[in-house]
Amino acid sequence: MNGLKIPLRKRIALDLFGIKKGIDAAVHDLRYLFWECTLRCNLSCLHCGSDCLRDASLPDMPLRDFLRVIDSIKERVDPHKTTIALTGGEPLLRDDLEQCGLELYKRGFPWGFVTNGYALTRDRYGRLLDAGLRSLTISLDGLRASHDWLRNKAGSFDRAVTAVELAAATDNIIFDVATCVDRRNFDELPKIKDLLNDRGVKNWRLLTVFPKGRAAANAELQISDRQFVDLLDFIVGTKKLGKVRPNYGCEGFLGSYEGMARDNYFQCAAGVSVGSVLVDGSISACPSLRADYIQGNIYKDDFWEVWNGRFRVMRNRSWTKTGPCVSCKAYRWCLGNGLHLRNEKTGELMLCHYARLVNGGIT
């Protein structure tokens, strides 16, 4: 692949950051632990990577089972520096979500969750804050028509905006809005920005849809390479305005946009500082990694022994240098892209952000 023109100073910074990534992989301090607490969901989103349903075939993991994991690691990590993120499915469908959070809070762990906002009422939000809620991500995927289309539920936009307003008015909580950018909502980004500014939102995470789950068969969810470049330019330009602060999501090496379209440099932290316990007890990294990336199971393995002794496929990425990565001039900074963008069975790269920039006309 022909390389993009990356300024010398940025290349040096990327090389130094590459040294840090190697150290991080060797040390692998656990800083972020996902708990896939349910696969049930109150929506049926067109881009869902998990194919979650209202009545999931796998039951919710009992709180006591996850707490056994937490109690086994709390003396081995600094709880105040290890965030527990509840995901799904839709965590708000758990009637005991407040109890889950309170038990984590009692043990010293900051906790939060990712939500579509549909079931977040003012009363429940207050109870969650009382249970120690410290971080929250709410999905807002366009204006009313495009959001309701993607979320496959009329009225979901209004519910999400109400949830955003509740969180934006709260002090002492880490909060952001996440927007999955697709062909339908792409031209709405300036108006979404205004909506968030009007409600006092400070942090806005923009993502592109990756081709897994339901999204794999829906071409309308994939923006063009030229639109991808325009998206990064929109992010950079909006940052300069000094109100809501957008960042591109954590996936994908962005060439000369590194440190601009996102505040930090690209690093796939799966299995390095990020772990997860899936709803069936599987031990993995980020919840998007399943199949061959599963490292063990809490019902037969000790989580900490698995975290320390396995995850080699994630901490040594040399195996990713196949296919187009072999000749790519950016490989030393990218290390084969985010692992969730590789086929979990074959290791083949399904989507390359750097290639999108090349194809989108960046020189």
Side-chain angles (χ1 to χ4, degrees), residues 281-303:
S282 295
I283 300 170
S284 187
C286 74
S288 296
L289 297 179
R290 284 173 148 81
D292 288 353
Y293 291 116
I294 299 299
Q295 301 297 298
N297 192 290
I298 65 167
Y299 293 114
K300 63 179 182 179
D301 301 305
D302 178 79
F303 178 90

Side-chain angles (χ1 to χ4, degrees), residues 121-133:
T121 64
R122 182 178 298 276
D123 286 346
R124 185 138 202 222
Y125 182 58
R127 296 198 301 271
L128 291 165
L129 290 174
D130 290 341
L133 178 67

Side-chain angles (χ1 to χ4, degrees), residues 33-37 66 84-88 91 94 97 100-101 104 111-115:
L33 179 60
F34 283 100
W35 178 27
E36 187 181 61
C37 63
F66 184 67
I84 311 298
L86 281 64
T87 185
R94 287 190 67 122
L97 185 60
C100 295
L104 296 172
W111 71 277
F113 66 100
V114 182
T115 179

Side-chain angles (χ1 to χ4, degrees), residues 120 125 136 138 161-171 173-177 199-201:
L120 189 63
Y125 182 58
L136 183 62
I138 299 173
V161 169
T162 297
V164 167
E165 291 172 344
L166 287 172
T170 307
D171 295 327
I173 188 171
I174 299 171
F175 162 62
D176 68 350
V177 169
R199 286 155 179 81
V201 174

